Every structure is written in structure tokens, then in C-alpha cells.
Amino acid sequence: SGSRMGRRTTSFEFGRTYVVKPKGKHLATIVWLHGLGDNGSSWSQLLETLPLPNIKWICPTAPTRPVALLGGFPCTAWFDAGELSEEYPDDFEGLDASAAHVANLLSTEPADIKLGIGGFSMGAATALYSGTCFAHGRYGNGCPYPVELRAVVGLSGWLPCGRSLRNKIEGSHETTRRAMSLPILLSHGLSDEVVPHEHGEKSYQFLSMSGFRNLSFRTYQGVGHYTVPKEMDEVVNWLNGVLGL
């Protein structure tokens, strides 16, 4: 962003990226983002087992940074996060850096390939933030958002910057059109003790009130902060549907 707000600006060094090549005809590419303290490897192994032969998966690893939620302890995180409340300020600098990293990974894909972003927990938050950047046509810092998104998936996550979203979406016809057309799947366990289910529900409501119309919200009884086979089956079916695979 060219910003020099404090020493953290230069320290966004992303970790290793893992790629799962399509087993069939390459029709879509999805960047998938891991949760706090994880890396791209564990998700690449799970995604490889899904019956989606026409999707290429790109699984980057977040930078290692001090995280307020962990008392400043450093671990892999897409942005700095404190308590999950609307009063806690969002780390727009970190969010923009991660959203730009994801968009850069997608921007080198062939022109006829459908592009998407998904993630789990903090990765889901970054995927949803990327979806709002796509709708606005720019990042939070005002730089243009460069790729055309066709699908966003958020598992066990939340929407950062929900408060400021609605006014921006209502600002322009083009923004409204993009928000209405972008398919978004939110999915959450009712027994999630890390990111409570209500955060997923609130995120769904914020997106809906802000003009996102192509929304699906699935909840899973008795499921905590993890994924289950039934949930991944529904992700597979949803992606097949919205991407025409």
C-alpha cells in the first residue's frame, strides 16, 4: 500500500504456498486460507481428497506476527485480531495486505478460469473481507481490487469491518451489482466455542443488509470449531452449483 504506519508495515512476509493441481479439466481456481496458527499444508491435504477434479486449490501460509488475542504471542495470522466484538478496531492494514496477497495469487490464472476464495476461521474472515473488496472494487486503503470473484466460502468465521460496510455498498450502482451477484456460502457449528455461532449469524445479517443477495448460511448441530464431512460435502455441492462444474 506504500503506507508507513508503524514498523509492522514491512513485516508481512507470507509463508509457503501449497498447490493442489486439478485432476480433471482446469475450470476454476480457489485460494483457500487456513485459521490462526495453522499453515497451508494441512488444508491442501484435505482439499485434495474432495471430489472436485476441475478445481485448482492454492493454499498460502499467513505471515507470522504478534497477535493481540494471544497476548502478543507471534503465530501465523492473516491480520492482527483482538476480541471478537464490534467495538474492537479492525486491522485494516493487515487485512488489505492479506487480501492483496490472495488477489495476486489469483491474478496470474488464465482468463477463462473462474476464481474463488475460501477459508476457515480467520481465513474465512479474510475471504469475506476479500469479497467486500471485490464488491467495492477496491481495498480498504483505496487501491483497486484486480480480480473478478465468482465464489466465496467462509467456514466458522466472521466478517471484519461489518459496521462500515453498508454505506460503502450503497454508494454506487456498480458496487451494488457486484454485491448482488457474488455467491457467498457461510457455514458454522452451533457449538463453536472459539468463534461463536452468533458471529457467523451476524456476519450473514450484515452482508444481507449491505446488498449481498446470493447468500447461503448453513448451521451444524453439535459441531464445534472444526469441519465435519457433512459440511465439506455441502461445500462440494455448492461449489459445483455456483461454478457450473
Side-chain angles (χ1 to χ4, degrees):
S1 67
S3 142
R4 285 286 170 271
M5 300 183 336
R7 59 188 174 72
R8 290 183 308 128
T9 316
T10 52
S11 65
F12 295 129
E13 285 182 31
F14 291 85
R16 183 175 165 191
T17 298
Y18 299 81
V19 175
V20 179
K21 292 180 178 167
K23 298 175 180 74
K25 187 182 180 195
H26 183 198
L27 299 177
T29 297
I30 297 177
V31 171
W32 192 273
L33 305 171
H34 62 75
L36 182 66
D38 201 358
N39 61 61
S41 172
S42 56
W43 273 99
S44 71
Q45 290 168 46
L46 172 65
L47 296 167
E48 193 160 20
T49 68
L50 298 182
L52 289 166
N54 302 325
I55 294 182
K56 171 184 173 183
W57 301 95
I58 301 176
C59 303
T61 300
T64 297
R65 68 177 81 206
V67 178
L69 191 64
L70 306 175
F73 184 80
C75 74
T76 53
W78 299 109
F79 52 94
D80 187 18
E83 58 189 85
L84 291 183
S85 79
E86 284 165 45
E87 284 67 52
Y88 195 87
D90 289 302
D91 173 20
F92 280 105
E93 191 187 3
L95 282 161
D96 278 343
S98 288
H101 184 68
V102 171
N104 289 343
L105 290 170
L106 288 170
S107 64
T108 56
E109 292 298 290
D112 58 339
I113 298 300
K114 295 168 182 175
L115 307 176
I117 304 174
F120 175 78
S121 192
M122 182 181 254
T126 309
L128 292 172
Y129 180 74
S130 296
T132 67
C133 292
F134 162 69
H136 297 146
R138 60 186 183 275
Y139 299 102
N141 60 22
C143 295
Y145 189 78
V147 293
E148 179 84 16
L149 293 181
R150 302 289 290 273
V152 173
V153 179
L155 311 182
S156 309
W158 72 96
L159 174 70
C161 69
R163 284 166 304 172
S164 59
L165 184 58
R166 192 170 179 182
N167 299 341
K168 290 182 183 173
I169 293 290
E170 288 171 348
S172 96
H173 175 73
E174 188 57 24
T175 299
T176 306
R177 183 192 67 75
R178 283 194 294 261
M180 285 178 72
S181 67
L182 178 64
I184 300 177
L185 172 64
L186 299 174
S187 187
H188 221 109
L190 278 167
S191 303
D192 193 328
E193 70 295 347
V194 178
V195 181
H197 177 267
E198 69 189 72
H199 288 287
E201 202 162 26
K202 262 191 197 163
S203 301
Y204 172 78
Q205 288 163 359
F206 265 129
L207 288 164
S208 183
M209 288 188 309
S210 303
F212 289 85
R213 292 283 172 266
N214 200 342
L215 290 173
S216 303
F217 184 45
R218 313 269 164 81
T219 57
Y220 295 88
Q221 200 79 35
V223 172
H225 198 63
Y226 47 81
T227 57
V228 291
K230 185 187 177 193
E231 182 180 30
M232 295 314 293
D233 289 346
E234 296 205 12
V235 169
V236 167
N237 293 336
W238 185 84
L239 284 171
N240 270 325
V242 301
L243 296 176
L245 303 175

